[in-house]
Amino acid sequence: MAKRTYVRTAAVLGAASLALFGCSSNDDSSSSDSISAAGGGSSAAEETVSTDCTPEVATAGATPVTTPLVVGTLLPETGTLAFLGPPEVAGVQLAINDVNEAGGVLAQPVQLIPGDSGDTTTDTATTTVDRLLAGGSDVIIGAASSSVSLKVIDKIASAGVVQFSPANTSDQFVCYPDKGQYFRTAPTDVLQAQALSKLIAEDGAQRVSILALNDPYGTGLASNTVDNLEAAGIPSDQIQKIIYDPNAQSFNAEVDDVKTFAPDAVAIIGFEESAKIITRMHEVGIGPSDGMAVFGVDGNMGNALGESVAKPLLETMRGTTPLTDVGSAFQDRLKAINPALVDFNYAGESYDAVVISALAAEAAKSTAGTDIAANINAVTKGGEKCTTFAECLPLAKAGTDLDYDGITGALNFTDGGEPATGSYGNLVFGPDNTLTTDGFIVVGE
């Protein structure tokens, strides 16, 4: 049986301001907050975002819309997070299959329009959103990247369409002026920071370096992790934080700074560029296979990283990713959709995003995006428990208050449209650079 560790503490930052973007000059190895730009000395003013707010709430329209529910996807088929695309796409397709087999929404089959999100280096997401909106999408599942979602969230919200991400974790969305149209099944980085910090602290680390990419996801998760490590008893002068440019040609300077700091643990908060960082770490003798305790996060803890780094350089590297013990049966059903699947990250979150949207439409008796948005939070908490669309559908049709506990477990959405708890897989790379799951960590309520 998989191990489950529960952390019932509240988020360390709570409603405090969270650093999301920041650059300052590199400091010496004793600095607790060394911010660098790879390949240069550029810097920018630090920007913060508050999570202390009353989130905006959608208001249902006066006249229901009863046309078929149209779901579009904005998921990474290309770009830096393309490794997350296959399980997310499979999760969406499986959910739509299940919804339609149970009778559909408003007794009509749900329609699917697939789309690629790309990444922040292209305009793929904007082009895809324009196509999805023109195609009549009521709900758009995506994006995976927080930065990509921020590029299109205003356009989607202004169109009165639901944006439902299975993988956004940045805290920037908590108070974002989204007209109450944005939701996510992935827990926020306030929670992932708790899980990551727990792994690091329980490993016995006393001096920690954090390498994080310079975007809302990277800087926000890094700042939260620093605060949680300090709360765990590691002094601030024993924590080094380096923010890097993910598009840099080389990360030698950053890795060399880490070596000079001489940590006993290193956390890497990044995407595909993590392969270059870890390769350089090995070159200077501080990689996972060299005996350094190295930790990753959802942006890099996938088998795609293992394919990008020589074996066995990742051996012993651990990390966190939002993951629930969904069991082999669900994974087998996903493989029936895509037999080539090797990762299952965010598949359950993608599945649940579709089912929640479908149940909200049934509860609203309408497929209008604003009507769906006005009912999403309510179908995840407080009512009669149900665990599948087929089980929940009669309750929704009867107007019964329902509480959908999904593939990812209890959801209990907050007013901000996100789970109140987070379940994370404790992932570890073996000598063949492939991942296994060594239990689960549940944080939050």
Side-chain angles (χ1 to χ4, degrees):
M1 179 178 292
K3 295 179 289 184
R4 294 174 66 87
T5 303
Y6 287 83
V7 183
R8 296 298 184 183
T9 57
V12 171
L13 289 189
S17 292
L18 308 174
L20 286 186
F21 301 94
C23 291
S24 64
S25 60
N26 251 350
D27 205 341
D28 60 32
S29 62
S30 65
S31 170
S32 64
D33 191 12
S34 174
I35 313 293
S36 72
S42 62
S43 63
E46 185 169 316
E47 212 173 307
T48 62
V49 62
S50 174
T51 57
D52 185 8
C53 66
T54 300
E56 295 183 0
V57 177
T59 302
T63 305
V65 174
T66 58
T67 53
L69 176 64
V70 180
V71 174
T73 59
L74 182 67
L75 298 172
E77 299 170 8
T78 60
T80 55
L81 288 182
F83 75 95
L84 290 178
E88 292 173 346
V89 170
V92 168
Q93 185 63 67
L94 181 58
I96 287 179
N97 292 352
D98 286 351
V99 169
N100 287 341
E101 287 173 8
V105 172
L106 304 184
Q108 302 169 96
V110 177
Q111 300 174 9
L112 175 65
I113 307 176
D116 180 20
S117 66
D119 58 25
T120 56
T121 65
T122 70
D123 291 326
T124 302
T126 300
T127 302
T128 297
V129 167
D130 288 342
R131 179 171 59 83
L132 295 178
L133 295 178
S137 295
D138 306 298
V139 176
I140 294 176
I141 306 297
S145 161
S146 295
S147 293
V148 171
S149 285
L150 288 168
K151 290 178 65 175
V152 296
I153 187 172
D154 293 334
K155 177 175 287 191
I156 296 172
S158 295
V161 170
V162 169
Q163 181 178 2
F164 211 143
S165 174
N168 288 167
T169 57
S170 170
D171 304 313
Q172 191 159 358
F173 295 103
V174 176
C175 296
Y176 195 90
D178 56 15
K179 304 181 188 300
Q181 296 293 129
Y182 174 87
F183 302 86
R184 53 181 165 183
T185 39
T188 73
D189 282 330
V190 167
L191 298 178
Q192 181 164 200
Q194 292 180 46
L196 176 62
S197 300
K198 178 177 176 63
L199 279 184
I200 295 171
E202 288 189 346
D203 194 61
Q206 296 296 317
R207 187 171 173 86
V208 181
S209 291
I210 299 171
L211 285 159
L213 79 162
N214 192 13
D215 82 344
Y217 161 79
T219 55
L221 181 50
S223 294
N224 292 337
T225 300
V226 167
D227 286 333
N228 278 275
L229 289 173
E230 291 176 355
I234 299 177
S236 61
D237 63 357
Q238 298 300 302
I239 302 172
Q240 175 193 47
K241 184 175 71 174
I242 299 175
I243 305 300
Y244 63 82
D245 174 5
N247 298 313
Q249 294 300 309
S250 169
F251 303 97
N252 290 2
E254 287 72 27
V255 173
D256 291 349
D257 283 350
V258 170
K259 183 175 183 179
T260 301
F261 187 70
D264 51 26
V266 179
I268 304 172
I269 301 172
F271 294 149
E272 65 181 7
E273 76 284 350
S274 302
K276 291 182 178 180
I277 293 172
I278 291 169
T279 299
R280 176 59 180 172
M281 289 174 65
H282 174 65
E283 290 172 354
V284 299
I286 58 170
S289 63
D290 303 304
M292 177 64 72
V294 179
F295 299 86
V297 289
D298 57 316
N300 51 30
M301 291 299 291
N303 284 309
L305 178 61
E307 295 168 0
S308 302
V309 177
K311 301 176 183 178
L313 298 191
L314 296 178
E315 185 177 6
T316 74
M317 180 177 176
R318 285 185 178 270
T320 55
T321 192
L323 192 66
T324 304
D325 187 5
V326 297
S328 60
F330 181 68
Q331 293 184 358
D332 289 343
R333 298 187 70 210
L334 291 169
K335 286 182 178 179
I337 300 291
N338 181 357
L341 281 181
V342 292
D343 287 317
F344 299 94
N345 295 359
Y346 296 113
E349 286 82 359
S350 301
Y351 182 97
D352 283 342
V354 173
V355 172
I356 292 168
S357 299
L359 289 172
E362 279 287 352
K365 304 294 187 287
S366 172
T367 55
T370 52
D371 297 345
I372 295 170
N375 285 271
I376 283 179
N377 291 344
V379 301
T380 70
K381 59 184 177 183
E384 185 172 338
K385 294 280 188 183
C386 52
T387 58
T388 67
F389 180 81
E391 183 184 359
C392 296
L393 181 58
L395 300 175
K397 284 182 176 293
T400 303
D401 187 16
L402 62 91
D403 180 354
Y404 171 67
D405 284 357
I407 289 293
T408 58
L411 292 154
N412 301 324
F413 272 20
T414 67
D415 291 343
E418 60 197 21
T421 60
S423 175
Y424 297 88
N426 176 2
L427 307 183
V428 59
F429 279 103
D432 57 354
N433 280 10
T434 59
L435 280 171
T436 57
T437 302
D438 185 21
F440 298 85
I441 304 170
V442 178
V443 298
E445 286 186 337

